[in-house]
Amino acid sequence: MQISRLKLKHQILLIFLFAIIIFTTMECFFYFSFYNLTQKRAANYGNTIIEQTRQKIDSVFNDIKVSTSIAVNNKKIQEFTIEDDDYKRDFDLGTYVIDLMEYMRSFNSYVNGIVINDKQGRRVSSLANANGDIFFLNQYDEFIYAYKNDSDFFKRGTFTHLLKEKNTGKDYFFYLAPIIESIGGIHFSQKTGYFSVMVNMEKMQELVENTELTPHSTLYILNSRNEVVASNNANFRNVLFKDILSGDRTSLSNGLKTKINGEDVLVQEIGLEQAEGWSIVSIVPVQELTTDMNAIKNTSIIAGIGIILSLIILGYFFLNNLTRPVMGLVADMRKIGERDLGFRVKVRSTNEVGVLAYSINSMIDKMEDMTRNIFNTQARLYESELSKKQAEFSALQSQINPHFLYNTLNCISSIGLEYGSKEIAQIASCMSKIFRYSIKKDDLVLISEEIQCIKAYMNIISIRYEDKFSMEINVDDQLLEMKTPKMILQPIVENSVYHGLESMDAGGSLRVSGNIDANGDVCFQVSDSGKGIGKDELEAIKAKLNMEYSERAEISLAGKSIGLSNIHNRIKLLFGEGYGVEIESQMGDGTTVFVKIPYLEEKG
């Protein structure tokens, strides 16, 4: 039986029955999807909390490692550990060493005490409180003996496991780093002492306790031996160690749903980047993450039942009030093709079918007006598309400046730690020039202005890396008064430094050149002698540059690229597909980026 041969009211009945079945199926699907969504929400929430805590702890540990690294490489501290003259050691060097340790300890609230031990058994300390007495007990000396004889420890520092003081029962852990003599004496490249930093356990505990969790959630900081360094709850410790961490811990990174004391919990673990083998574990009751969503779930079920009942009632009215007017409407529509344009559909009711009939008549009346207006509509659509592209271009352009500012501020921070205020003042001056240039409202600027921006950036890099690389700019003089899009060369130069030259010990070079090619277009080349790019990675970069515009714009606007793709998109938006960015590279032979734009003269 063909449905088309059924009467209209029977067809409407089948449609409503089919709609009810489909909606019921969708309601069931929604219920189970919502249930799975709540589980994913629980996992995402736990992951967000543990990731935020990991970043805080890694930041604390990184500060300790960086300040310790600066200290152990300090010339006077190295001289202090090898000096045999007690007078010179105590008065000439000792005062400086103690002041340095006092500064480190007062600067970082997570440091409770610092002790320097040399190989002759002499030591000097800076302690925050009585907890530092542990440094002078035999128990401490026995504790770090194993670390002193560890071959890996000779190469780098390490965070220790817990030391429990026998008298008070308090726990301690330390960051230990060897002092390697590098000033060229008879002990050159040998261990001459040890730098011990006592980490403030109370501050670590406060960090964990201040983490925003659900009321009955638990957070642990575990060291490489799975010892609890800090926690906001000690009730689950034995269960955590014996039952959870004894299994496959790789599954914990994405969240493992299990039962503890009969309660469904979500357990997640993330390793710390700054302390090998250390991790953060969170235990979050699933019920606390999904309770606030139960009301939404129940509401959706009630709404689904209400909609199904409404469909049944609505179907009944349709069957009784729609069939007759629709049949008349069909008959009139058949006559439209047989009569002149003056024929109109009869309006037989005031309901939706009547409105439809009236709309058909209005449509016929307005058809001629619609034809005349179509050309105006096309023009408006074209203007709308241009506005959209301009907005996309502005979004692409705005991504560059914060990225460069972020990297430069990191550079300033590094210089400040090592050299003091003079270099910072020079960098800040160059940074001010670059930033003022980057926020200019003009989309097109003089090439000479772009070159000045690059020179300021190169000045920053020269200070940052102590003239580690040679840098050269060779741009034809006739180009300096030409126009170029703003900030298209500086990000490429930045990429050459950070991705090509930074890992080199010395001798690298960077060259920026510009000329007019045979077709009269302006061509720039940014070349470095860095490590180069692997074949697979290079092919991936080229593939991204060769994407269709819509794909490139989607990637850039999503924040996935602020480098070559961004610059490539900007040039394409301004000048078309004949211009843009190309890249060539080979591992070990450096990288060259080509930028092509049209010849744009300065207008008076």
Side-chain angles (χ1 to χ4, degrees):
M1 180 180 64
Q2 295 182 358
I3 297 179
S4 59
R5 294 182 179 179
L6 296 176
K7 292 183 178 181
L8 180 60
K9 62 179 181 180
H10 294 156
Q11 293 184 28
I12 294 175
L13 178 61
L14 287 176
I15 290 173
F16 274 95
L17 289 176
F18 182 74
I20 292 172
I21 294 173
I22 292 297
F23 186 83
T24 303
T25 303
M26 292 178 61
E27 182 70 15
C28 294
F29 174 78
F30 172 79
Y31 176 83
F32 289 107
S33 297
F34 187 84
Y35 177 80
N36 292 331
L37 179 63
T38 57
Q39 301 302 310
K40 291 180 180 179
R41 176 178 179 266
N44 291 336
Y45 177 83
N47 187 67
T48 300
I49 295 300
I50 198 172
E51 176 62 21
Q52 292 174 351
T53 306
R54 181 197 65 77
Q55 292 178 2
K56 294 178 183 177
I57 297 173
D58 271 337
S59 177
V60 171
F61 282 8
N62 182 65
D63 289 343
I64 294 175
K65 291 171 70 175
V66 169
S67 58
T68 301
S69 175
I70 295 173
V72 299
N73 288 296
N74 186 280
K75 178 180 178 181
K76 290 189 178 295
I77 286 184
Q78 294 183 13
E79 291 178 351
F80 181 81
T81 60
I82 61 176
E83 180 60 53
D84 293 328
D85 187 333
D86 290 340
Y87 180 85
K88 182 176 181 181
R89 184 176 185 273
D90 293 338
F91 293 97
D92 291 350
L93 300 173
T95 302
Y96 175 85
V97 172
I98 292 175
D99 288 344
L100 178 60
M101 290 192 298
E102 288 286 345
Y103 174 77
M104 288 178 56
R105 185 176 55 76
S106 61
F107 181 75
N108 193 336
S109 62
Y110 285 87
V111 175
N112 247 353
I114 302 173
V115 167
I116 297 177
N117 298 77
D118 62 19
K119 297 187 69 173
Q120 301 180 34
R122 300 173 299 182
R123 66 177 70 183
V124 63
S125 61
S126 172
L127 309 175
N129 50 45
N131 291 335
D133 293 342
I134 188 69
F135 280 118
F136 305 98
L137 300 178
N138 291 334
Q139 186 180 359
Y140 169 76
D141 294 333
E142 295 172 359
F143 175 75
I144 67 171
Y145 181 80
Y147 291 96
K148 290 181 178 181
N149 292 276
D150 187 350
S151 60
D152 290 336
F153 175 61
F154 179 79
K155 303 175 183 177
R156 56 179 173 79
T158 185
F159 287 95
T160 69
H161 58 272
L162 291 180
L163 168 63
K164 183 180 289 294
E165 186 179 355
K166 297 177 181 179
N167 295 331
T168 63
K170 291 185 177 180
D171 291 331
Y172 303 90
F173 77 97
F174 312 87
Y175 178 70
L176 302 178
I179 301 175
I180 310 297
E181 200 267 297
S182 62
I183 57 179
I186 60 174
H187 302 285
F188 183 71
S189 295
Q190 297 180 12
K191 286 188 294 186
T192 60
Y194 306 93
F195 200 93
S196 302
V197 178
M198 177 191 291
V199 182
N200 192 330
M201 296 285 286
E202 294 179 357
K203 293 289 291 184
M204 296 295 294
Q205 184 66 28
E206 288 178 8
L207 190 150
V208 172
E209 291 178 351
N210 292 334
T211 301
E212 295 183 0
L213 292 169
T214 59
H216 299 93
S217 296
T218 306
L219 195 67
Y220 297 98
I221 301 177
L222 304 181
N223 62 20
S224 58
R225 295 188 177 183
N226 291 334
E227 297 173 321
V228 177
V229 176
S231 173
N232 62 346
N233 191 335
N235 294 334
F236 289 154
R237 289 188 181 183
N238 293 332
V239 176
L240 176 68
F241 299 156
K242 295 180 181 179
D243 296 344
I244 298 176
L245 298 183
S246 61
D248 180 13
R249 297 179 67 173
T250 58
S251 61
L252 295 179
S253 60
N254 295 322
L256 176 65
K257 186 177 179 181
T258 184
K259 285 184 178 294
I260 296 181
N261 297 334
E263 182 181 15
D264 288 333
V265 296
L266 187 70
V267 182
Q268 290 181 285
E269 180 183 33
I270 294 181
L272 295 179
E273 295 179 355
Q274 299 296 329
E276 184 176 356
W278 288 52
S279 61
I280 303 175
V281 176
S282 66
I283 302 178
V284 183
V286 175
Q287 182 180 2
E288 293 185 359
L289 292 173
T290 59
T291 299
D292 60 336
M293 301 184 75
N294 288 335
I296 300 176
K297 181 178 66 177
N298 295 334
T299 300
S300 66
I301 294 175
I302 295 173
I305 295 174
I307 292 175
I308 292 174
L309 293 176
S310 299
L311 285 174
I312 295 174
I313 296 173
L314 186 61
Y316 172 79
F317 281 101
F318 260 83
L319 289 174
N320 288 277
N321 298 293
L322 184 63
T323 303
R324 182 179 58 84
V326 167
M327 295 302 296
L329 180 62
V330 171
D332 288 344
M333 291 296 295
R334 288 175 179 173
K335 295 179 181 179
I336 290 178
E338 301 174 0
R339 295 174 180 257
D340 57 21
L341 296 177
F343 179 80
R344 294 293 181 267
V345 176
K346 296 180 180 179
V347 179
R348 295 180 173 83
S349 63
T350 58
N351 58 16
E352 288 79 359
V353 178
V355 173
L356 178 60
Y358 178 82
S359 298
I360 291 173
N361 293 334
S362 298
M363 179 186 66
I364 297 173
D365 294 336
K366 295 177 180 179
M367 189 158 310
E368 186 177 348
D369 292 335
M370 291 176 61
T371 302
R372 288 193 301 266
N373 292 334
I374 190 169
F375 294 102
N376 294 332
T377 302
Q378 291 286 352
R380 288 195 298 271
L381 290 174
Y382 178 73
E383 293 175 358
S384 176
E385 183 66 18
L386 287 179
S387 299
K388 178 182 177 183
K389 286 195 173 184
Q390 180 63 32
E392 292 172 346
F393 169 73
S394 299
L396 288 170
Q397 187 180 37
S398 67
Q399 294 178 21
I400 295 179
N401 299 332
H403 174 70
F404 168 67
L405 181 59
Y406 174 80
N407 285 330
T408 304
L409 290 178
N410 278 341
C411 174
I412 292 175
S413 177
S414 299
I415 292 294
L417 286 175
E418 295 187 14
Y419 298 100
S421 63
K422 181 179 179 181
E423 288 80 3
I424 292 178
Q426 295 178 10
I427 289 180
S429 176
C430 293
M431 180 56 204
S432 177
K433 295 177 182 178
I434 296 172
F435 191 67
R436 284 197 300 269
Y437 170 70
S438 67
I439 61 176
K440 290 183 65 174
K441 294 183 179 181
D442 299 331
D443 292 332
L444 296 177
V445 298
L446 294 177
I447 292 179
S448 60
E449 294 179 293
E450 185 76 1
I451 297 303
Q452 290 301 319
C453 175
I454 296 174
K455 289 182 178 178
Y457 176 75
M458 286 182 172
N459 190 23
I460 294 172
I461 295 303
S462 296
I463 297 173
R464 170 64 180 88
Y465 293 99
E466 300 179 335
D467 294 322
K468 179 179 177 182
F469 320 116
S470 64
M471 292 177 283
E472 178 185 3
I473 297 177
N474 185 13
V475 178
D476 291 350
D477 292 340
Q478 61 180 320
L479 295 183
L480 297 180
E481 298 303 315
M482 299 301 103
K483 287 286 191 174
T484 179
K486 182 175 61 179
M487 294 294 284
I488 64 169
L489 296 181
Q490 185 280 327
I492 300 176
V493 173
E494 182 180 355
N495 283 345
S496 296
V497 173
Y498 283 96
H499 300 298
L501 297 175
E502 187 180 46
S503 61
M504 298 181 66
D505 293 333
S509 63
L510 173 65
R511 176 183 173 87
V512 179
S513 59
N515 61 282
I516 299 176
D517 66 6
N519 296 323
D521 294 321
V522 177
C523 295
F524 296 103
Q525 299 87 36
V526 180
S527 304
D528 68 77
S529 62
K531 63 180 181 180
I533 303 174
K535 181 177 179 181
D536 292 341
E537 184 180 358
L538 181 63
E539 292 300 323
I541 295 174
K542 289 184 176 181
K544 185 182 293 185
L545 294 177
N546 291 328
M547 287 179 179
E548 293 294 328
Y549 166 74
S550 59
E551 298 177 45
R552 295 196 309 266
E554 181 179 356
I555 291 175
S556 294
L557 292 175
K560 298 178 181 178
S561 172
I562 57 174
L564 295 182
S565 295
N566 192 325
I567 298 169
H568 191 63
N569 285 344
R570 290 176 55 201
I571 295 175
K572 294 293 184 185
L573 282 172
L574 284 172
F575 309 120
E577 291 296 323
Y579 303 94
V581 175
E582 294 181 1
I583 182 170
E584 295 296 335
S585 182
Q586 188 171 353
M587 289 299 294
D589 291 334
T591 302
T592 300
V593 178
F594 303 90
V595 180
K596 182 178 180 181
I597 62 174
Y599 187 95
L600 302 174
E601 293 186 83
E602 169 73 2
K603 295 182 179 179

